[in-house]
Amino acid sequence: MTVSTVDFERCYRAVESRDARFDGWFITAVKTTGIYCRPSCPTPVRPKRENVSFYPTAAAAQLAGFRACKRCRPDASPGSPEWNVRGDLVGRAMRLIAEGIVDRDGVAGLARRLAVSERHLHRLLLSELGAGPLAIARAQRAQTARTLIETTDLPFIDVAFAAGFESVRQFNDSVREVFALTPTALRTSGRRRGDVVEGALTLRLPYRPPLDWPALFGWLRVRAVPGVAHTNGNSYRRTLRLPRGAAIVSLEPVNGHINCTLKLESMSDLTTAVRQCRRLLDLDADPLSVVEVLSKDRRLSSIVKKHPGLRAPGAVDGPELAIQAVLGQQVSLAAARTLAARLVTAHGDVIKIADPTLTHLFPGADIIAEADLSKLGVPATRRATLHALAAAIARGTLTLDPGADRAETFHELLALPGIGEWTAGYIVMRALGDPDTFLPSDLGIKKAGARLGLGTNPRAISEHAAAWRPWRTYATHQLWATLTPTPKEAS
């Protein structure tokens, strides 16, 4: 399946101008060479119009018989922001596949998670994306394999299973088909000095510029829970809870990408760890599209122009974010951080990876649901909310990940004792990565709204904010950024 005739012209103009903003939005396939590329591929000769096809995913291009370009590395493009925006079944499926659910639970597990049949899911993805869930997951596995081949000295048998392949033969066949190179040749040609450090793996996480790292770093720094997260210079470090073990990650901007250094208990968790980091830093965002919409509002225009690369921080773990959101109700950022640190010290798992400052994983929902929280220093009503929230997550009746239905999750959160619209909206915004959540009752939003001449009435502010769709989360962060210091309500 290729893109529509109407979109062809827009895509071809992007290819002609080597517009990097469209990297990850679509794939360019060249019939005469049999390769597929990023729109910004630096090849000196632009392909002729009649020789080009455009595909919505790399998997679709691979199914059509094309192999990845060795020059522009289309498999290393930033993810498509479309999947963050879309709340429908296809968008949820793509986010879950990116999380590795097909590798862990198969297509059957993905279908169960989405409450549809495997046949319907395959038909829907094939119709919209040109590839079914298996092919999309296979393309992702190939990307992970390439990363491990080029940046580690792992034996290929370990690379194969770490990347999610079921056999070495499947791994070899996929690498040759996608990259037109054997694993040995790929390792020889792709080795980049400085990627392999004893006990750690360093990756380059791409993003669409601009990126306002000072604002993003500042947001993360003031919310860093001791023992779980830490800042050092310009680097943000934290522990990660992963399906097969734990990890420690260090994130820092370097020359147009994010340096991501990982220490993993299980290399099989690499894909999940990378996705968690990309979500946390909102690296799949298209900031220029956001600015284009928000700048149409004359009240917001001057604000947005000051921070064109402002991101909407997500979360590495939905339950962790939700628990912290409840702990932060009606207290300052510093107080919320203190409460979270007490919770971690009392109930968090001690991490096996040696580190002087990062010592624990944030406690899981199953632990918090049964824990004695009386010494935490929060009111009994707040403890009841924490227990109810954690129990719902532990039972599986509440799911807080990027594949969850955003509207349903919002109402499920509201049904829990002690969770109101602000907390439910904040959790959906960050834990589920919704780019279009707005918090009109937030005190910081009211204060910023008054400065912009919108008044302080939540209903009036909400009506005005309708013009900011589908980027109201980013508008919220732009408004928060106008306040000094960052409002306590945004904790």
Side-chain angles (χ1 to χ4, degrees):
M1 173 197 167
T2 57
V3 299
S4 68
T5 303
V6 175
D7 289 336
F8 183 95
E9 292 302 323
R10 184 186 184 197
C11 292
Y12 192 73
R13 286 196 299 271
V15 171
E16 283 186 313
S17 60
R18 295 185 176 88
D19 195 333
R21 293 177 301 171
F22 290 91
D23 287 353
W25 278 100
F26 65 86
I27 292 294
T28 305
V30 185
K31 302 171 187 175
T32 51
T33 61
I35 65 171
Y36 68 87
C37 308
R38 302 181 185 218
S40 66
C41 182
T43 181
V45 180
R46 297 287 85 189
K48 295 181 179 179
R49 181 186 301 267
E50 60 269 22
N51 294 330
V52 169
S53 296
F54 298 111
Y55 292 88
T57 61
Q62 291 169 18
L63 282 180
F66 296 92
R67 65 183 187 275
C69 175
K70 298 174 186 177
R71 181 192 293 264
C72 71
R73 300 170 59 92
D75 54 304
S77 297
S80 173
E82 179 179 3
W83 312 128
N84 293 338
V85 174
R86 289 177 61 164
D88 61 357
L89 190 65
V90 172
R92 293 171 60 201
M94 289 297 286
R95 292 194 291 272
L96 285 170
I97 293 171
E99 294 297 309
I101 190 172
V102 173
D103 295 333
R104 294 192 302 271
D105 304 326
V107 177
L110 174 62
R112 283 195 303 272
R113 179 71 172 76
L114 297 171
V116 297
S117 69
E118 291 182 53
R119 176 178 292 184
H120 176 68
L121 178 62
H122 180 83
R123 184 169 57 244
L124 186 64
L125 293 184
L126 190 63
S127 172
E128 288 213 28
L129 306 178
L134 274 177
I136 295 170
R138 175 178 173 271
Q140 179 173 283
R141 286 195 293 271
Q143 178 183 344
T144 302
R146 181 175 192 164
T147 298
L148 292 173
I149 289 169
E150 294 181 344
T151 61
T152 76
D153 291 317
L154 286 174
F156 290 145
I157 187 171
D158 293 339
V159 170
F161 293 112
F165 290 100
E166 296 179 357
S167 68
V168 175
R169 180 178 178 179
Q170 186 187 60
F171 158 74
N172 286 328
D173 291 345
S174 293
V175 169
R176 281 194 295 264
E177 183 178 343
V178 174
F179 304 114
L181 291 171
T182 65
T184 300
L186 192 59
R187 174 162 281 176
T188 301
S189 66
R191 176 71 73 192
R192 294 191 297 268
R193 298 180 66 182
D195 286 332
V196 182
V197 181
E198 184 177 357
L201 170 66
T202 296
L203 312 175
R204 295 169 172 83
L205 305 186
Y207 60 82
R208 296 174 183 82
L211 172 68
D212 190 340
W213 178 256
L216 180 57
F217 182 75
W219 173 279
L220 297 173
R221 178 178 54 79
V222 297
R223 292 164 177 80
V225 178
V228 172
H230 174 70
T231 57
N232 181 21
N234 205 31
S235 174
Y236 175 77
R237 305 173 65 247
R238 66 154 296 149
T239 60
L240 302 175
R241 181 183 294 276
L242 301 166
R244 300 171 186 86
I248 289 178
V249 65
S250 176
L251 300 163
E252 183 175 10
V254 177
N255 298 327
H257 63 268
I258 298 295
N259 248 28
C260 171
T261 301
L262 283 159
K263 293 183 179 179
L264 295 155
E265 288 184 358
S266 172
M267 196 63 73
S268 298
D269 284 326
L270 174 65
T271 299
T272 302
V274 169
R275 287 306 310 169
Q276 287 188 359
C277 295
R278 294 193 67 83
R279 284 205 315 271
L280 176 67
L281 304 184
D282 192 26
L283 296 185
D284 290 341
D286 182 1
L288 297 184
S289 293
V290 174
V291 169
E292 182 181 4
V293 172
L294 299 186
S295 293
K296 293 178 181 178
D297 186 327
R298 60 179 178 81
R299 290 186 172 93
L300 268 186
S301 180
S302 60
I303 296 173
V304 172
K305 289 178 181 177
K306 293 179 182 178
H307 299 279
L310 196 67
R311 293 306 206 261
V316 299
D317 182 73
E320 174 188 322
L321 184 280
I323 295 299
Q324 290 194 50
V326 172
L327 284 174
Q329 290 176 338
Q330 300 176 356
V331 299
S332 68
L333 278 173
R337 199 165 54 244
T338 298
L339 293 174
R342 290 176 188 168
L343 183 65
V344 167
T345 301
H347 303 291
D349 297 327
V350 176
I351 195 167
K352 297 176 183 177
I353 303 171
D355 189 274
T357 55
L358 300 176
T359 56
H360 288 73
L361 293 174
F362 197 88
D366 55 338
I367 299 298
I368 296 175
E370 303 294 333
D372 178 5
L373 305 179
S374 60
K375 297 180 181 179
L376 198 59
V378 298
T381 53
R382 187 92 37 87
R383 297 200 300 270
T385 299
L386 290 169
H387 277 131
L389 173 62
I393 296 170
R395 288 194 307 267
T397 55
L398 176 65
T399 304
L400 299 177
D401 64 25
D405 184 288
R406 291 161 177 168
E408 288 183 7
T409 301
F410 179 78
H411 292 295
E412 289 168 354
L413 286 165
L414 286 180
L416 295 173
I419 293 185
E421 290 191 357
W422 187 95
T423 303
Y426 183 75
I427 293 172
V428 169
M429 173 192 285
R430 292 196 61 197
L432 275 60
D434 183 14
D436 196 37
T437 291
F438 192 59
L439 307 173
S441 63
D442 180 86
L443 295 181
I445 295 298
K446 291 180 181 179
K447 185 182 297 185
R451 291 180 180 178
L452 293 178
L454 301 177
T456 59
N457 183 279
R459 182 173 180 179
I461 296 175
S462 287
E463 290 176 351
H464 185 88
W468 302 337
R469 289 181 179 272
W471 308 119
R472 290 182 298 172
T473 290
Y474 293 90
T476 298
H477 279 277
Q478 290 285 355
L479 292 175
W480 280 339
T482 66
L483 305 173
T484 304
T486 302
K488 296 177 183 178
E489 298 84 346
S491 64

